[in-house]
Amino acid sequence: MTPMMEQYLQVKEQYKDYLLFYRLGDFYEMFFDDAVTASRAIGLALTGRDCGEKERAPMCGIPYHAVDEYIGQLIGKGFKIAICEQMEDPALAKGLVRREVVRVITPGTLIESNLLTDQKNNYLCAVCFGEYEYGVCFADVSTGQVFATTISGDDPDTRLINEIGTYAPSEVVANLPVSSFARTADFIIGRTGAMIADKQAGRFDYEEAAERVRAQFADSVREETFRDREMIRALGALLSYIADMQKRDISYIKELHIYREGQYMDLDVNTRRNLELTETMRSKEKRGSLLWVLDRTKTAMGARLLRTWLLHPLLGIPEITRRQAAIRALYDDLPAREELAAALGSVLDLERLMARISYGSANARDMLGILGSISVLPEVKAMVGALDAAEFREIAASLDTLDDIRKLLAESINDEDTPLTIREGGIIKDGYNAQIDELRAIKKNGSGYVKEIEAREKEKTGIKNMRVGYNRVFGYYLEVAKSQIDLVPETYIRKQTLANCERYITEELKELEATILGATDKLAAMEYSIFQQIREYLAQNSARIQESAAYLARIDTYISLATVAVKNRYVCPDFCTDGRIEIKGGRHPVVEKFISDSYFVPNDTTLDTGKNRLLLITGPNMAGKSTYMRQVALISLMAQIGSFVPADSALLSVV
């Protein structure tokens, strides 16, 4: 084997179950079985490369600048990918270029926005199967959010399936082999299509897990929480897996939500499916679902939060009525509702942008996206503070407007023709750093110096069509047509002969080249260094930015529910505690949106725990029996996320 191929095989030995993307210049190459597999999976051209043996090694490659597209295709087909980068400049390396795997990509650890759905979380799940209870947690690596709970009692497998069905993770990490939880595994693979990483028992050690959880979430986890051993083991395993895949600092994952049985309405898999809460049964599309009706959010963060609320209806009347009051405040104030919606229209996906910041992959345009998004915070804070609702008063009091970060980004990041790359300069504003301004002046005036030399040499030699050119091989040169080479002075040094001309250099040109190119290289390096410092400052303040983003998501969700309530003539339901459901003029929120040429016939509902405990519904096919049953369920569910409901009036008990 050639030295390079030996290096490849050494890396591949450590990542046998992954497609290894091995960086060679401007391409990521795959060899041997990986090349054959990838070429078949996504139609890459299969070639070969000499590897030191008789037969050429099968090979296929993809350009580094288009890598995300191919990663998305391969991940979508169920593959895991290891990215092996060149860790030193090939031009400066002595011998073989040093390479290392810098990231492992699996379905549950994606952070690239272009590979994710904006309005839906991408969850990684960890399950710890214990003897008496299960610990389960879900993390969206792209937003830094983590949810965790303990499952105990009768039939824990069914309850686990329902939890997994709620979050619909794209990958599940488990401490046992698949054969030990066959029923759950069948559901995971068959219904969610998630990848399972089983036999990960080494990650689930309690002592190590507890240490990781304490280090990651610091003071946000109470000491009594560590009594839930299975949940802590699952959390620790999740953090271990993410750290191993990302191979970077994951301190941005700070938002931990621990929930308990009885905190949210129990919705099993079939109930969610039949009620078509987030997607339709037949086409699996959002259009035609309850979420489609309710979602008028302006931000990706708000859309994800609304989806989360819809899948986790509340059981506490005080929390429900608190949300109702917030929606009522916006329902009654059209100017505030519209002005807030307009302000949020310019907010990008701060949660996922901050993941890119923490991961170190954010560029200058991402920084400008953050700047534009947080610039609305003072305006939003003022408008929210004027609304008459406890929820909004709390948000206004707590919302950090991030003035220091906004000032830093506004003063430092170039907002005109901002390049995508961060190593070639042009990303730091004029006036932010004196040394950068000085180097930029040398680079900018360099073309003027070149023109001066060209004019002077034309005058001195009498060669009127002489020109100064530049290429990467020879640097700056003087180009003279063949017909005038007899006028060339002896001080010129010939560098290249072409068909119609000769190219020369002079000492003055070489000195100028060293000055200009030295300034260019120093400028790019200095801009990159300062950009890294700014990015690191944002990473250190990621918790603050994520908290402000979470408040914007809540405001957006309330605006959406208020807007839909006004547009669709919804009413605010009342709650009682005696088991009654009394709905006057109830309507199915989704079906009524599809009736454009006729009137949806509303129906009353009276249910209680006495004489009206049961309704017997009869009628021919397509008469509306199922629609009527579902509308009662959907009205109850909408009410318990705090939403107004499609009815003339509604008095409900918590379901």
Side-chain angles (χ1 to χ4, degrees):
M1 286 286 175
T2 61
M4 190 214 75
M5 199 56 72
E6 284 183 357
Q7 183 191 56
Y8 167 84
L9 291 173
Q10 287 170 4
V11 177
K12 178 63 183 174
E13 181 66 20
Q14 301 171 54
Y15 295 91
K16 292 179 180 178
D17 297 332
Y18 300 81
L19 295 178
L20 182 61
F21 280 28
Y22 185 78
R23 184 70 177 266
L24 282 177
D26 289 339
F27 282 79
Y28 289 106
E29 303 288 1
M30 285 169 276
F31 298 101
F32 301 110
D33 290 346
D34 282 7
V36 175
T37 299
S39 68
R40 287 175 180 167
I42 58 174
L44 293 173
L46 192 64
T47 60
R49 182 185 179 98
D50 290 331
C51 62
E53 295 189 332
K54 289 182 180 179
E55 293 186 11
R56 288 160 61 85
M59 179 181 83
C60 65
I62 54 177
Y64 81 96
H65 56 78
V67 68
D68 283 358
E69 176 188 344
Y70 294 97
I71 287 174
Q73 291 181 45
L74 289 167
I75 289 292
K77 290 183 178 290
F79 295 101
K80 300 181 291 184
I81 297 166
I83 306 291
C84 184
E85 287 286 0
Q86 295 175 167
M87 303 307 290
E88 53 187 342
D89 188 338
L92 304 176
K94 294 181 180 179
L96 195 62
V97 175
R98 184 169 59 87
R99 293 178 175 86
E100 289 180 12
V101 171
V102 297
R103 187 178 168 209
V104 177
I105 305 172
T106 64
T109 57
L110 286 170
I111 61 168
E112 290 79 6
S113 298
N114 57 326
L115 301 181
L116 297 169
T117 304
D118 286 347
Q119 299 183 346
K120 185 178 179 182
N121 288 97
N122 181 52
Y123 287 113
L124 170 69
C125 171
V127 181
C128 180
F129 292 94
E131 187 175 355
Y132 302 108
E133 58 187 24
Y134 301 161
V136 58
C137 54
F138 304 87
D140 186 337
V141 179
S142 70
T143 66
Q145 297 166 315
V146 183
F147 300 86
T149 193
T150 298
I151 294 174
S152 58
D154 296 335
D155 198 4
D157 289 337
T158 296
R159 294 194 51 217
L160 175 61
I161 285 171
N162 290 335
E163 285 301 308
I164 291 173
T166 298
Y167 287 91
S170 56
E171 186 174 3
V172 177
V173 180
N175 59 324
L176 299 179
V178 164
S179 58
S180 300
F181 56 98
R183 179 187 166 203
T184 304
D186 287 345
F187 171 80
I188 292 169
I189 296 168
R191 290 286 287 272
T192 72
M195 178 184 289
I196 299 177
D198 64 344
K199 303 177 185 176
Q200 300 283 319
R203 299 184 188 277
F204 288 80
D205 177 78
Y206 176 78
E207 297 302 330
E208 292 182 9
E211 190 176 329
R212 286 194 203 99
V213 172
R214 284 191 175 94
Q216 188 75 30
F217 300 109
D219 300 329
S220 62
V221 181
R222 295 178 180 176
E223 198 57 35
E224 57 262 31
T225 303
F226 289 90
R227 296 173 192 160
D228 292 328
R229 294 177 66 87
E230 266 47 90
M231 185 181 74
I232 294 298
R233 289 172 66 194
L235 268 172
L238 187 83
L239 295 171
S240 166
Y241 191 80
I242 294 170
D244 281 356
M245 299 302 107
Q246 299 291 78
K247 297 187 179 297
R248 300 282 179 95
D249 177 29
I250 60 168
S251 59
Y252 72 96
I253 298 177
K254 288 290 186 189
E255 195 177 333
L256 174 62
H257 304 272
I258 295 174
Y259 60 100
R260 306 292 182 191
E261 186 178 8
Q263 192 170 341
Y264 301 115
M265 181 192 292
D266 270 345
L267 289 165
D268 67 32
V269 172
N270 292 323
T271 300
R272 278 194 306 275
R273 179 172 176 270
N274 284 302
L275 290 180
E276 298 183 309
L277 298 183
T278 59
E279 63 183 22
T280 58
M281 282 194 289
R282 289 185 180 178
S283 63
K284 305 298 181 185
E285 293 179 349
K286 179 182 175 183
R287 177 179 167 79
S289 69
L290 179 60
L291 181 61
W292 170 70
V293 174
L294 298 181
D295 189 1
R296 294 295 179 270
T297 54
K298 297 294 183 182
T299 70
M301 304 175 296
R304 291 194 296 269
L305 181 61
L306 177 58
R307 183 188 183 92
T308 299
W309 282 12
L310 196 56
L311 293 173
H312 296 86
L314 302 170
L315 298 185
I317 291 177
E319 193 175 352
I320 294 170
T321 54
R322 183 182 175 89
R323 287 185 184 177
Q324 288 179 339
I327 295 168
R328 168 67 70 187
L330 290 165
Y331 183 100
D332 293 336
D333 195 335
L334 174 64
R337 193 170 71 242
E338 291 187 340
E339 287 172 20
L340 276 168
L344 293 177
S346 62
V347 175
L348 301 183
D349 197 339
L350 276 172
E351 290 173 338
R352 286 183 172 164
L353 282 172
M354 286 313 300
R356 289 172 58 80
I357 290 287
S358 299
Y359 183 69
S361 62
N363 59 26
R365 294 188 186 182
D366 293 329
M367 295 285 204
L368 292 176
I370 293 170
L371 172 60
S373 299
I374 66 175
S375 293
V376 308
L377 288 172
E379 178 188 1
V380 168
K381 185 182 179 86
M383 286 191 285
V384 165
L387 291 168
D388 185 20
E391 177 80 343
F392 290 131
R393 286 192 290 273
E394 179 190 293
I395 291 174
S398 304
L399 183 60
D400 186 345
T401 53
L402 306 171
D403 297 335
D404 55 326
I405 294 170
R406 193 169 69 250
K407 182 174 183 292
L408 172 64
L409 293 176
E411 291 176 351
S412 62
I413 304 298
N414 175 31
D415 54 2
E416 295 181 8
D417 298 322
T418 313
L420 282 169
T421 61
I422 57 175
R423 291 184 178 272
E424 297 177 14
I427 56 178
I428 302 299
K429 260 187 179 179
D430 289 338
Y432 181 71
N433 180 278
Q435 286 180 284
I436 285 179
D437 291 345
E438 184 180 341
L439 291 168
R440 200 168 272 162
I442 293 172
K443 181 181 176 183
K444 183 178 180 181
N445 295 329
S447 58
Y449 299 147
V450 169
K451 291 295 181 186
E452 286 179 18
I453 291 176
E454 183 181 286
R456 195 161 58 245
E457 293 300 319
K458 281 181 180 179
E459 183 69 29
K460 187 168 67 175
T461 62
I463 304 173
K464 300 301 181 186
N465 62 352
M466 177 191 294
R467 73 177 188 88
V468 175
Y470 174 82
N471 66 34
R472 290 183 176 227
V473 179
F474 300 119
Y476 286 103
Y477 56 80
L478 294 161
E479 187 172 282
V480 179
K482 284 282 178 70
S483 60
Q484 293 188 302
I485 58 175
D486 56 328
L487 298 176
V488 172
E490 291 182 1
T491 53
Y492 282 21
I493 303 166
R494 181 184 281 114
K495 289 298 292 182
Q496 189 180 20
T497 299
L498 300 178
N500 301 317
C501 63
E502 298 280 346
R503 288 175 175 174
Y504 302 88
I505 60 170
T506 66
E507 287 300 322
E508 185 181 18
L509 259 184
K510 296 311 289 182
E511 289 174 8
L512 177 62
E513 179 184 321
T515 301
I516 295 173
L517 296 186
T520 301
D521 292 341
K522 285 179 185 175
L523 177 61
M526 186 167 288
E527 286 199 61
Y528 178 65
S529 175
I530 289 175
F531 178 82
Q532 282 185 304
Q533 292 171 24
I534 296 167
R535 191 166 62 187
E536 178 59 28
Y537 181 78
L538 264 65
Q540 291 169 359
N541 287 274
S542 62
R544 291 174 57 205
I545 301 171
Q546 285 172 321
E547 186 177 2
S548 293
Y551 282 127
L552 291 178
R554 274 164 66 182
I555 295 165
D556 193 17
T557 304
Y558 285 128
I559 293 169
S560 179
L561 292 174
T563 301
V564 171
V566 172
K567 183 179 179 181
N568 296 342
R569 298 179 295 107
Y570 292 172
V571 298
C572 183
D574 294 316
F575 279 90
C576 60
T577 58
D578 58 8
R580 282 182 293 161
I581 293 179
E582 295 180 0
I583 301 170
K584 302 294 183 185
R587 314 185 305 274
H588 192 296
V590 181
V591 174
E592 73 170 351
K593 301 303 291 182
F594 283 97
I595 297 177
S596 56
D597 56 349
S598 62
Y599 175 64
F600 184 95
V601 179
N603 283 279
D604 296 347
T605 302
T606 300
L607 287 165
D608 55 38
T609 57
K611 292 182 179 180
N612 299 301
R613 190 179 186 87
L614 178 74
L615 294 183
L616 179 63
I617 307 170
T618 65
N621 291 342
M622 303 301 292
K625 300 185 298 296
S626 297
T627 298
Y628 178 65
M629 289 193 291
R630 288 191 176 99
Q631 85 181 32
V632 176
L634 291 175
I635 286 171
S636 290
L637 190 145
M638 288 171 66
Q640 284 179 229
I641 69 169
S643 172
F644 288 15
V645 299
D648 295 335
S649 67
L651 175 66
L652 307 170
S653 294
V654 169
V655 178

